[in-house]
Amino acid sequence: MAQSSRTGIMLIGAPGSGKGTQAKKLKESLGYAHVSTGDLLRAAVKQGTELGKQAKSFMDAGGLVPDELVIGLLEEALTKPETQQGFILDGFPRTAVQAEALDAKVSLDKVIYMKVPFELIEERITGRRMSKSGHVYHVKYNPPETEGVCDVTGEELYQRSDDTPEKVQERLDKFVAETQPVVPRYQAKGIVVEVDGVGTPDEVFVRINAVL
Ligand code: AMP
């Protein structure tokens, strides 16, 4: 993959900081591709691919999938034609090794660092419910019209296996130990903007647009 002039935006932040929600909104407003390694991994698990089989146990435990697996997945995603105008990275990189691999392939224009106090995160994550097609609700903040059913597709909603209270702490620990240390690398390039991730998705989106 060569360096190109396409626009690259990265959303980085703890699990439950709103990266996925904001990435979808940015995709809609900017027309760039949304590249979420979490979504790609969940799709691989669902399809029962070799990668999905290898990734599943790490995901279920609230841990990180090994770098070589995720880097391969990301590199493949960035060759897709829909990413050629621009891409929004959500959930990658999560380690220094991933950041190095990414920087060797593409350049980023902005890193949006979503800040949400950890006290709020557990409630956000454990109340999250999804449809198989990827629509996301929250039992308290964004409930579907009919309980347990997706407004858009009518699919039954489910809770991600790693969104349980037991897994949240593990995921936050991983964020602090592995992902947060990646931020200074991008701060040194002068491309990091911190955004307060507390509030409704629309409120946070206004803040993001103000810094883009
Ligand atoms: P997410 O939807 O971004 O919260 O990701 C869900 C899970 O997928 C994470 O808890 C990890 O187990 C795995 N995962 C997603 N992205 C990565 C990544 N860049 N590196 C390692 N594991 C990842």
Side-chain angles (χ1 to χ4, degrees):
M1 227 180 314
Q3 297 267 353
S4 71
S5 60
R6 61 184 164 171
T7 304
I9 298 171
M10 178 204 292
L11 291 168
I12 196 163
S17 60
K19 300 185 298 293
T21 301
Q22 297 301 324
K24 286 187 186 112
K25 285 172 136 345
L26 283 171
K27 175 187 172 170
E28 248 172 58
S29 71
L30 299 173
Y32 299 156
H34 173 198
V35 180
S36 155
T37 42
D39 285 352
L40 293 169
L41 287 165
R42 278 185 289 279
V45 170
K46 200 168 111 196
Q47 286 159 18
T49 65
E50 194 48 45
L51 169 71
K53 282 179 199 152
Q54 289 175 289
K56 188 173 187 311
S57 57
F58 298 100
M59 296 172 75
D60 285 347
L64 293 180
V65 174
D67 286 331
E68 61 275 17
L69 298 181
V70 194
I71 290 170
L73 192 66
L74 192 271
E75 287 181 346
E76 192 193 326
L78 288 179
T79 63
K80 298 267 159 67
E82 59 269 27
T83 67
Q84 295 314 305
Q85 210 196 331
F87 57 88
I88 302 148
L89 278 184
D90 156 16
F92 188 101
R94 267 178 155 101
T95 66
V97 171
Q98 293 179 19
E100 226 158 84
L102 179 72
D103 293 351
K105 299 285 178 195
V106 293
S107 59
L108 295 168
D109 297 272
K110 261 304 178 248
V111 172
I112 298 171
Y113 186 9
M114 308 277 296
K115 305 279 269 193
V116 176
F118 284 3
E119 306 88 80
L120 283 184
I121 286 199
E122 178 166 354
E123 189 192 25
R124 277 195 178 186
I125 292 188
T126 56
R128 182 156 64 180
R129 299 291 181 273
M130 328 256 296
S131 71
K132 286 229 164 68
S133 338
H135 297 96
V136 184
Y137 299 86
H138 190 283
V139 291
K140 180 167 159 197
Y141 300 117
N142 175 31
E145 276 166 29
T146 310
E147 200 186 319
V149 177
C150 178
D151 293 338
V152 183
T153 63
E155 292 163 315
E156 206 178 306
L157 299 182
Y158 72 97
Q159 183 176 37
R160 275 170 49 173
S161 59
D162 56 348
D163 275 355
T164 57
E166 310 81 68
K167 308 287 168 63
V168 174
Q169 193 53 49
E170 176 65 26
R171 292 168 67 199
L172 286 174
D173 290 349
K174 280 276 181 280
F175 172 73
V176 171
E178 305 275 355
T179 309
Q180 238 172 10
V182 163
V183 175
R185 176 187 189 100
Y186 296 104
Q187 279 167 334
K189 296 178 199 269
I191 57 173
V192 177
V193 281
E194 293 191 5
V195 169
D196 175 8
V198 179
T200 65
D202 284 345
E203 284 165 354
V204 177
F205 192 53
V206 167
R207 292 176 205 141
I208 289 180
N209 275 306
V211 297
L212 272 185

